[in-house]
Structure formats: structure tokens, C-alpha cells
Amino acid sequence: VHALSDGEPAAGVYFLQHDERHLDPRAGETWALPLTRIAVAEWIADLVRSEGHAVAGVVPNAVDPRDMGLDRPLDDRDQRVVALYHRLPSKGPDVLIRALTRLREQLPDVHIDVVSARPPSHRLPDGVDLHIRPARSGLRRLYNRAAVCLHTSRLEGWGLVPMEASACGCAIVATASRGVNEFLTPDVSMRQVPIDDVEGLASATVDLLTHPDRRIALAAAARRQVLQFSWEASTDTFDRLLRAVHSPA
């Protein structure tokens, strides 16, 4: 905890970005610490409040348009899918593998790009292009040439990958992993299926890849919604909340 002014320590703040009880059940005990709680998402704030703990406010994530933006028209996209692989079970790596396999069975010529922070511990389907830690510029290119971003998490605090992909013009096919609903709306700006629904993920992706009008409508709506979030607004909110902790009324 840093000082907000010289010589005067700040009050303690707990910035919650996930429900980390899926990693260790004891994580829930930290919610009772004598700290001011701030959440990154409304669903997290509601969850913590349901356990009897106050939350001072919500500071959402955003996308910097200098990093992620539309470089290729929505109607100029190949049958290409982009997705994140993460070995953590809550990210649904097994779901991703099975969904991509099913997708390839239904559309043998589909192009698939998978992004990962490190070499996968699962075997990816044949023909998938793997990108390990691409630079921001490279990631932006991947998003801009893709038609659909596939999001397979079981539990997600926010969901930065589908948010970034939306800013770059991808249509989103996602599981109901909580976080993505903070910035996208089912049937309006994304296709959403139940968690672990491999067939639903594949069929929704095929539908959008083979019906450009539906894909473009979803992608345009997603981009509009994502651009409503800004780092300026979020940092202003965070600053206000921190100052309220430091100088309570």
C-alpha cells in the first residue's frame, strides 16, 4: 500500500479481480480482512456483498484504442477463428481443444489461430497455428484478420481477450463464464452458450462463419459496447475511491 501524500500512509485497499476460491477455498477468508474492497466487475462485487462484506465500488477494465482497434473492415474477414489457450482448468483448455476439433470436422478449411503465454500442455488439433506471447501489434493483427473469437472459460473475472477481440472487430462466441457479461450482451453483441458446451461453441462458430450478415451485426454491436469503456473513466473512478478511503467523510 502506497502513500497518497508525503509522510501519510494510505488506508488499506483490496482490489478484487476474480473469485479465487476456485484456486484455494481459503481465498474467501481474505474478503473479511479489514480493508476497503473494490472490485473489477459487478458480478464480483455482488458475490462479495452476498457474503456480508461491503464493496466501495467497481472499477472496470477497458481497452486502449492505441493498442487495439479496427484495421480491417468487418465485411473483409476470412473464415478464421482466434482463441486463447491457458492451461489453468478454469480457462477451459480441454473445452477449447474439443471445440476446435469439432469445428474443424464441420469446416475443414477453417483457419485457427491460438494464442498462449507458454507452450500448451494439451495437444492442439492438427492445422492450428500457435502463437506464443505475440507482441501487442502481432496480437492486434491476429484479431483483425479473424472473423470469430472463441472464449471457452469456465470462470472469468473479466475476459480481456474477448474484449480486445471485440475492439478489433471479431464476433464473440463465449461460454457463460460471468466476466464477459460485464461488457457484452447475449444475442445482441455475442453468442453465448452454457459452460462446457462443446457442441454449442462449435455450432455457433460455424453459424457465424457461414452467415456473414449475422457475424457482422454481432461484431458491430460488440465493438460499440466495448468502446463505452475507457481507461480515463476507470482511472478517475479508482482515484475517487482511493481518495475516499484516504480522507473519509
Side-chain angles (χ1 to χ4, degrees):
V1 179
H2 299 283
L4 293 179
S5 61
D6 290 342
E8 188 174 4
V13 173
Y14 189 173
F15 187 38
L16 295 124
Q17 301 188 65
H18 210 331
D19 178 5
E20 294 179 333
R21 294 176 302 177
H22 76 283
L23 296 173
D24 188 329
R26 294 173 298 176
E29 298 174 14
T30 66
W31 300 350
L33 292 172
L35 301 170
T36 296
R37 287 163 288 276
I38 299 171
V40 74
E42 293 288 350
W43 81 264
I44 297 174
D46 290 341
L47 179 65
V48 174
R49 290 178 181 128
S50 73
E51 297 291 328
H53 308 296
V55 177
V58 173
V59 180
N61 281 314
V63 172
D64 189 335
R66 294 171 296 183
D67 286 337
M68 297 293 161
L70 189 67
D71 302 321
R72 188 171 180 177
L74 301 183
D75 60 359
D76 182 24
R77 305 279 171 128
D78 300 327
Q79 284 193 344
R80 187 179 290 269
V81 173
V82 65
L84 172 72
Y85 170 91
H86 195 296
R87 63 183 64 177
L88 194 66
S90 65
K91 298 287 188 179
D94 55 316
V95 178
L96 175 64
I97 301 303
R98 288 184 286 142
L100 293 181
T101 300
R102 186 73 182 105
L103 174 61
R104 178 76 77 189
E105 292 171 353
Q106 296 183 43
L107 284 179
D109 295 330
V110 67
H111 299 278
I112 301 172
D113 291 303
V114 168
V115 177
S116 181
R118 55 187 62 84
S121 54
H122 295 75
R123 185 178 184 277
L124 298 178
D126 292 339
V128 171
D129 292 327
L130 177 64
H131 307 266
I132 304 294
R133 289 190 178 275
R136 299 294 288 174
S137 58
L139 188 56
R140 177 169 176 155
R141 284 194 295 272
L142 290 174
Y143 289 147
N144 266 276
R145 69 182 186 180
V148 173
C149 175
L150 190 60
H151 178 70
T152 62
S153 285
R154 294 183 169 100
L155 183 66
E156 194 75 38
W158 183 268
L160 281 174
V161 167
M163 191 179 206
E164 291 174 345
S166 295
C168 295
C170 289
I172 307 300
V173 175
T175 50
S177 56
R178 305 295 293 273
V180 71
N181 292 75
E182 295 288 311
F183 54 91
L184 295 179
T185 306
D187 300 324
V188 174
S189 54
M190 68 171 165
R191 288 283 183 87
Q192 192 166 58
V193 303
I195 292 168
D196 290 341
D197 185 357
V198 170
E199 189 62 37
L201 288 164
S203 62
T205 302
V206 169
D207 181 66
L208 294 180
L209 290 175
T210 55
H211 295 87
D213 53 335
R214 300 174 189 172
R215 172 184 61 79
I216 290 169
L218 278 182
R223 182 169 157 77
R224 286 193 299 270
Q225 284 192 280
V226 163
L227 292 181
Q228 294 177 18
F229 295 84
S230 74
W231 283 123
E232 291 78 7
S234 291
T235 53
D236 285 349
T237 300
F238 206 28
D239 179 73
R240 174 178 55 79
L241 291 169
L242 291 177
R243 290 181 184 279
V245 171
H246 183 60
S247 303

